[in-house]
Amino acid sequence: PTNIALLRDYLLEKKLSSVCIYESSRNKRIADVSISTSFEEFSQLAFAGKTFRDEVEDGRAVIDYILSNFSHSFKKLILIGYSLGGVTAAVLGQEYEAYTVVTFGSATYFNIEKTNPILGDSLDKDAFKEYIHMATKDFDKKVICVRGTTDDTALQDDAFDLFKSFVAASEKQYHEWQSINHRFRAEDGSISPDLIVKTTNLITTLF
């Protein structure tokens, strides 16, 4: 998404941090479902058959690789995630003693009308929320949660529920960015100049 790319480019340009971006494979057992030529339908079918625990394991594999190969070169681990990736970052924050967890467009549940079919184990709303609450409740570092006001996938109540689940956090920030959708663009698909400013300002609070 736009905001993650902006964060990456700014951090590298200003030499503030090393950056590792990964995109979790969503095509597990994709052969078991019929493929549509529609991009929107295909993007949702990509969730088919994969569980949230699979997503978390992907995250662990990436972080373990970084810690095994590059831990000598940095002092702080900041986990930043978008949408379901933000939930993964939230769940793994305490486990890896992250310095900061940042989520964009993330929530303890997602609007099923926009994400159906969703991950295999996230259909039970209460159980999914409880799983996230248990994983985040002891994280005691900084947390920043950001949502666009026109996001119809990560709804406001569920996004704020994720924020509230960090009950032990030493510092918490919750932001609602006006007229920004789930993909962190304006409704016409453009990149808002205001988004660039907001993202840049957010970076200054990370360290």
Side-chain angles (χ1 to χ4, degrees), residues 5 24 29 37 40 45 80-81 88 99 101 113 125 149 162 165:
S24 176
R29 294 186 292 277
T37 55
E40 286 299 322
L45 287 172
I80 303 173
T88 303
Y99 179 73
V101 168
E113 292 182 2
K125 184 173 184 176
T149 58
L162 176 63
S165 73

Coordinates of all heavy atoms in Angstrom, one line a residue, residues 5 24 29 37 40 45 80-81 88 99 101 113 125 149 162 165:
A5 N 5.0 2.1 1.3 CA 6.1 2.5 0.4 C 6.7 3.8 0.8 O 7.9 4.1 0.7 CB 5.5 2.5 -1.0
S24 N 3.3 -11.7 2.6 CA 3.0 -13.1 2.8 C 2.3 -13.7 1.6 O 1.4 -13.1 1.1 CB 2.2 -13.2 4.1 OG 1.8 -14.5 4.3
R29 N -3.0 -23.6 -1.2 CA -4.1 -24.4 -1.7 C -5.0 -23.7 -2.6 O -6.2 -23.9 -2.7 CB -4.9 -25.0 -0.5 CG -4.1 -25.9 0.3 CD -4.9 -26.6 1.4 NE -5.4 -25.7 2.4 CZ -4.6 -25.3 3.5 NH1 -3.4 -25.8 3.6 NH2 -5.1 -24.5 4.4
T37 N -11.0 -14.4 -13.5 CA -10.2 -13.4 -14.2 C -10.4 -12.0 -13.6 O -9.6 -11.1 -13.9 CB -10.5 -13.4 -15.7 OG1 -11.9 -13.1 -15.8 CG2 -10.1 -14.7 -16.3
E40 N -10.6 -8.3 -8.5 CA -11.2 -8.2 -7.1 C -11.6 -9.6 -6.6 O -11.3 -10.0 -5.5 CB -12.5 -7.3 -7.1 CG -12.1 -5.9 -7.2 CD -11.3 -5.4 -6.1 OE1 -11.6 -5.8 -4.9 OE2 -10.4 -4.5 -6.3
L45 N -10.1 -14.6 -3.4 CA -9.8 -16.1 -3.5 C -8.4 -16.4 -2.9 O -8.1 -17.5 -2.5 CB -9.9 -16.6 -4.9 CG -11.3 -16.7 -5.5 CD1 -11.3 -17.0 -7.0 CD2 -12.1 -17.7 -4.8
I80 N 5.9 -3.0 11.5 CA 4.9 -2.2 10.8 C 4.1 -3.1 9.9 O 4.7 -3.9 9.1 CB 5.5 -1.1 10.0 CG1 6.4 -0.2 10.9 CG2 4.5 -0.2 9.4 CD1 7.2 0.9 10.2
G81 N 2.8 -3.1 10.0 CA 2.0 -3.9 9.2 C 0.7 -3.2 8.6 O 0.2 -2.3 9.3
T88 N -0.8 -9.2 12.3 CA 0.3 -10.1 12.6 C 1.4 -9.4 13.4 O 2.0 -10.0 14.3 CB 0.9 -10.6 11.2 OG1 -0.2 -11.2 10.5 CG2 2.0 -11.6 11.4
Y99 N 10.4 -2.8 19.6 CA 10.5 -1.4 20.2 C 9.2 -0.7 20.0 O 8.7 0.1 20.8 CB 11.6 -0.7 19.6 CG 11.8 0.7 20.1 CD1 12.3 0.9 21.4 CD2 11.5 1.8 19.3 CE1 12.5 2.2 21.9 CE2 11.6 3.1 19.8 CZ 12.1 3.3 21.1 OH 12.3 4.6 21.6
V101 N 5.2 -1.1 17.7 CA 4.3 -1.8 16.7 C 3.4 -0.7 16.1 O 2.8 0.1 16.8 CB 3.4 -2.9 17.4 CG1 2.3 -3.3 16.5 CG2 4.3 -4.0 17.9
E113 N -18.2 -8.6 4.4 CA -18.7 -8.3 3.1 C -17.6 -7.9 2.1 O -17.8 -8.0 0.9 CB -19.8 -7.2 3.2 CG -21.0 -7.6 3.9 CD -22.1 -6.5 4.0 OE1 -21.8 -5.4 3.5 OE2 -23.1 -6.8 4.6
K125 N -15.9 -14.7 15.0 CA -15.5 -13.4 15.4 C -15.0 -13.3 16.8 O -13.9 -12.7 17.1 CB -16.6 -12.4 15.2 CG -16.3 -10.9 15.5 CD -17.4 -10.0 15.1 CE -17.0 -8.6 15.3 NZ -18.1 -7.6 14.8
T149 N -10.6 7.1 7.5 CA -12.0 7.3 7.9 C -13.0 6.7 6.9 O -14.2 6.4 7.2 CB -12.4 8.8 8.0 OG1 -12.1 9.5 6.8 CG2 -11.6 9.4 9.2
L162 N -8.6 -3.2 18.4 CA -7.2 -3.6 18.3 C -6.4 -2.6 19.1 O -5.5 -3.1 19.9 CB -6.8 -3.6 16.9 CG -5.3 -3.9 16.7 CD1 -5.0 -5.3 17.2 CD2 -4.9 -3.8 15.2
S165 N -6.7 -3.2 22.8 CA -6.2 -4.5 23.3 C -4.8 -4.4 23.8 O -4.3 -5.3 24.6 CB -6.2 -5.5 22.2 OG -5.2 -5.3 21.2

